[in-house]
Amino acid sequence: MLILSRKAGESLILDGGIEIKITEIYGDKVRVGIAAPADVRVYRKELYATIQENQSAAQHAPISEAMKGLLKKL
């Protein structure tokens, strides 16, 4: 893990196309702005974990009889 110090208004550039800018620091909170290409998805870590769990559950869910009937028709 790379650890850097940044002040408000300073930025980091990732892979030449993603900019992470410290926009504000107040108390124990930091406000961060992220500029990335449209094809790069940016998630909060806790939301990303939920998405991964839901996708995993969907992959392992049994297929209903109705869905099996539709798949046979295709």
Side-chain angles (χ1 to χ4, degrees):
M1 174 186 299
L2 175 63
I3 299 174
L4 300 171
S5 296
R6 299 278 78 200
K7 295 177 182 176
E10 295 181 334
S11 296
L12 304 169
I13 302 293
L14 303 177
D15 199 29
I18 301 169
E19 179 181 9
I20 299 174
K21 184 173 186 175
I22 308 304
T23 60
E24 188 177 0
I25 301 170
Y26 51 100
D28 62 345
K29 295 189 179 193
V30 176
R31 186 164 288 199
V32 177
I34 301 170
D39 63 328
V40 174
R41 293 187 172 116
V42 179
Y43 300 103
R44 290 177 290 128
K45 186 175 181 178
E46 63 275 12
L47 179 58
Y48 185 75
T50 301
I51 291 168
Q52 294 300 308
E53 289 170 11
N54 289 341
Q55 287 178 346
S56 178
Q59 289 175 351
H60 296 97
I63 298 175
S64 70
E65 291 303 317
M67 183 60 78
K68 286 179 185 176
L70 288 173
L71 290 173
K72 283 182 183 179
K73 290 180 181 180
L74 294 175

